[in-house]
Amino acid sequence: MTTRPPAPAPSATDPQATPAADPGLKAGLKSRHLSMIAIGGVIGAGLFVGSGSGIAAAGPGILISYALVGVLVVLVMRMLGEMAAANPTSGSFSAYADRALGSWAGFTIGWLYWFFWVVVLAVEATAGAKILAGWIPAVPQWGWALIVMIVLTATNLVSVSSYGEFEFWFAGIKVVAIAAFIVIGGLALFGLLPGSDHPASGFTNLTAHGGFLPNGPGAILTGVLMVVFSFMGSEIVTLAAGETADPRGAVTKATNSVIWRIAVFYLGSILVVVSLLRWDDPAILKDGSYVAALSSIGIPHAAQIMNTIVLTSVLSCLNSGLYTASRMAFSLGRRSDAPAAFGQTTNRGVPRAAILASVVFGFVAVAFNYLWPDTVFQFLLNASGAIALFVWLVICFSQLRMRKIIERESPEKLVVRMWLYPYLTWATIALITFVLGYMLTDTADGGGRDQVVLSTLAAVGVVAFALIRERLSGKHKTQDTAPLS
């Protein structure tokens, strides 16, 4: 492996200067790649698979749950966009935490985020293998999981443009599928869909069966816990921006479009589901919300259609998860917070060691999922369960400090600004803290309390390691000293 010399940073006095891609990485992602990564990043398999449980718990009021989490994600992405537009880097929020809060914070959140995504690799590989084994049972599930992991590892090892091309088509299928679902479902709602015998109910199902909140207002919070983790992935675009020709412009565009993306893909599609069906229709839990909705309007082979779309979402999540984990490992290697080999690239600009290390742990986690699903793998799931919320908290606290640094050093780089700073930032911190606290009331096995407790223990362990490592090595980075690149 070779490491190319860092590209010179643009002049801080030139407001039009655009930083080059991260040192060692190539600007191999095109504008269309990043646009689709930004759109697809908010559409995970959890939207298709997990929404049924939320609807069953909160009724039509699940729309409020999705809206609350959507607002939270928009605010967090705005903060992250402010920092990323000023200083795009493959380390994203980990690098900003390193600068704003101290090296211990960057080290901790970087490794926790890496851990989160390598566990996701195992979850998604198993989910994809289950679908594929149903289609071609001659190959066992573990065989399909192995095949999927190998193919996507090879894709990421070739070049960043191959990752971008795969993700462009994966995300494109998801986007077209949801857009078609909203259009077809909307036509059926008003009796305008040719060949459908679905009654033209309009939006009467939102209030006709026990009201908009049939299980009471408290169910909204239960719904929040069920849907919050399906939004994880929005931040991937800020990591990928470092490998584009115009990272600052790409981040700005992605940040400004996050509102309509969440409104259309999440709220729009869930609104169609709870309008087409009674919220307590048994088919929602039995078949899944989207399959049940398609079946209700007479779409043939709805289950197989949705299986194909879910498989695409799973492969997209796997592809992005491997990319994201490897780029975080690369950034940690560059900052001497991981083995130096992680920060090296091939002549194609690929961080081979970071990719292979990530996929090896992913393979191990897949093995745990098949060998000890209810013990070892469940522990890994619970230990990573609340990390998404920890990441969002770190982004908030980093933005509070980074805004002052940017305003002092390079105010012209504030091309994206957090609204009502610092009040909305503090309000977001309070909301995330409330969600974490509410999770502690979920005492089910593997529920919110287990996730918060084990994720907190994992975080405390990594923080302790980071602080001891700093003390032993004498590596005490002084906050607020390194200039913005």
Side-chain angles (χ1 to χ4, degrees):
M1 287 178 287
T2 60
T3 305
R4 297 195 305 282
S11 169
T13 59
D14 178 8
Q16 300 301 319
T18 300
D22 273 356
L25 299 176
K26 282 188 175 180
L29 293 176
K30 300 176 182 178
S31 177
R32 65 181 177 90
H33 292 154
L34 206 71
S35 295
M36 201 56 76
I37 290 170
I39 294 173
V42 297
I43 309 173
L47 173 62
F48 300 108
V49 178
S51 55
S53 299
I55 293 171
I62 194 67
L63 288 167
I64 299 178
S65 302
Y66 272 104
L68 285 172
V69 180
V71 168
L72 179 60
V73 172
V74 167
L75 294 175
V76 171
M77 280 299 295
R78 188 74 184 182
M79 289 179 244
L80 183 55
E82 177 182 288
M83 296 183 288
N87 188 26
T89 172
S90 63
S92 189
F93 49 84
S94 173
Y96 308 139
D98 191 292
R99 172 77 195 277
L101 306 176
S103 60
W104 66 270
F107 178 95
T108 300
I109 207 62
W111 278 113
L112 287 176
Y113 191 68
W114 178 86
F115 170 63
F116 171 87
W117 278 109
V118 291
V119 172
V120 166
L121 290 181
V123 174
E124 301 297 344
T126 305
K130 185 176 181 180
I131 295 173
L132 289 166
W135 291 345
I136 309 176
V139 179
Q141 268 196 42
W142 66 265
W144 279 119
L146 185 65
I147 291 169
V148 166
M149 290 281 280
I150 289 174
V151 169
L152 292 181
T153 300
T155 299
N156 278 264
L157 284 172
V158 172
S159 67
V160 68
S161 60
S162 63
Y163 155 74
E165 200 63 34
F166 267 71
E167 190 57 24
F168 176 82
W169 292 106
F170 286 153
I173 292 172
K174 291 190 291 185
V175 170
V176 170
I178 291 187
F181 176 81
I182 293 172
V183 171
I184 293 171
L187 291 173
L189 279 175
F190 296 101
L192 302 175
L193 184 65
S196 174
D197 58 357
H198 189 277
S201 57
F203 298 105
T204 57
N205 277 329
L206 294 178
T207 56
H209 309 286
F212 186 71
L213 295 170
N215 295 326
I220 293 173
L221 294 176
T222 302
V224 165
L225 299 188
M226 291 182 169
V227 306
V228 65
F229 299 106
S230 65
F231 283 81
M232 193 64 174
S234 305
E235 70 291 332
I236 291 175
V237 67
T238 63
L239 283 85
E243 293 178 82
T244 64
D246 180 17
R248 185 165 293 148
V251 167
T252 302
K253 182 179 178 181
T255 302
N256 290 336
S257 66
V258 70
I259 297 176
W260 72 259
R261 287 187 275 128
I262 288 175
V264 171
F265 297 123
Y266 276 87
L267 293 179
S269 62
I270 295 298
L271 175 62
V272 169
V273 171
V274 294
S275 299
L276 283 173
L277 298 168
R278 294 174 53 120
W279 69 271
D280 55 354
D281 190 321
I284 291 179
L285 277 178
K286 181 184 175 203
D287 302 326
S289 54
Y290 289 82
V291 171
L294 289 174
S295 298
S296 74
I297 58 179
I299 301 297
H301 310 295
Q304 290 307 317
I305 292 172
M306 285 310 303
N307 269 341
T308 302
I309 295 169
V310 169
L311 177 62
T312 303
S313 297
V314 164
L315 295 176
S316 171
C317 191
L318 262 172
N319 195 37
S320 291
L322 182 53
Y323 171 85
T324 304
S326 65
R327 266 43 179 192
M328 185 57 72
F330 169 82
S331 176
L332 289 167
R334 281 281 173 174
R335 289 179 273 138
S336 301
D337 288 336
F342 286 10
Q344 295 179 336
T345 59
T346 66
N347 55 9
R348 289 177 175 267
V350 174
R352 182 187 296 164
I355 291 174
L356 292 176
S358 300
V359 81
V360 164
F361 194 94
F363 275 123
V364 171
V366 169
F368 287 159
N369 198 2
Y370 283 106
L371 296 174
W372 303 290
D374 300 322
T375 52
V376 178
F377 189 69
Q378 186 62 44
F379 174 82
L380 292 178
L381 282 178
N382 289 339
S384 65
I387 286 175
L389 293 170
F390 293 169
V391 167
W392 293 350
L393 270 180
V394 168
I395 290 171
C396 294
F397 283 112
S398 298
Q399 188 266 340
L400 283 173
R401 187 169 180 84
M402 283 299 295
R403 166 64 81 89
K404 296 176 182 177
I405 298 173
I406 299 169
E407 285 180 333
R408 183 180 69 241
E409 295 183 359
S410 307
E412 73 280 357
K413 292 185 177 181
L414 277 173
V415 293
V416 175
R417 290 176 179 264
M418 176 59 184
W419 307 297
L420 297 178
Y421 168 84
Y423 307 108
L424 266 183
T425 301
W426 282 110
T428 306
I429 291 171
L431 181 56
I432 296 172
T433 303
F434 174 78
V435 171
L436 284 168
Y438 192 76
M439 286 177 71
L440 291 173
T441 66
D442 179 10
T443 57
D445 187 29
R449 177 177 293 180
D450 289 346
Q451 293 176 22
V452 171
V453 170
L454 289 177
S455 294
T456 300
L457 289 175
V460 169
V462 179
V463 169
F465 180 83
L467 293 175
I468 293 171
R469 174 176 170 272
E470 277 189 4
R471 183 171 296 276
L472 292 178
S473 65
K475 179 188 173 187
H476 293 280
K477 293 183 185 176
T478 304
Q479 293 180 18
D480 198 8
T481 55
L484 290 172
S485 59

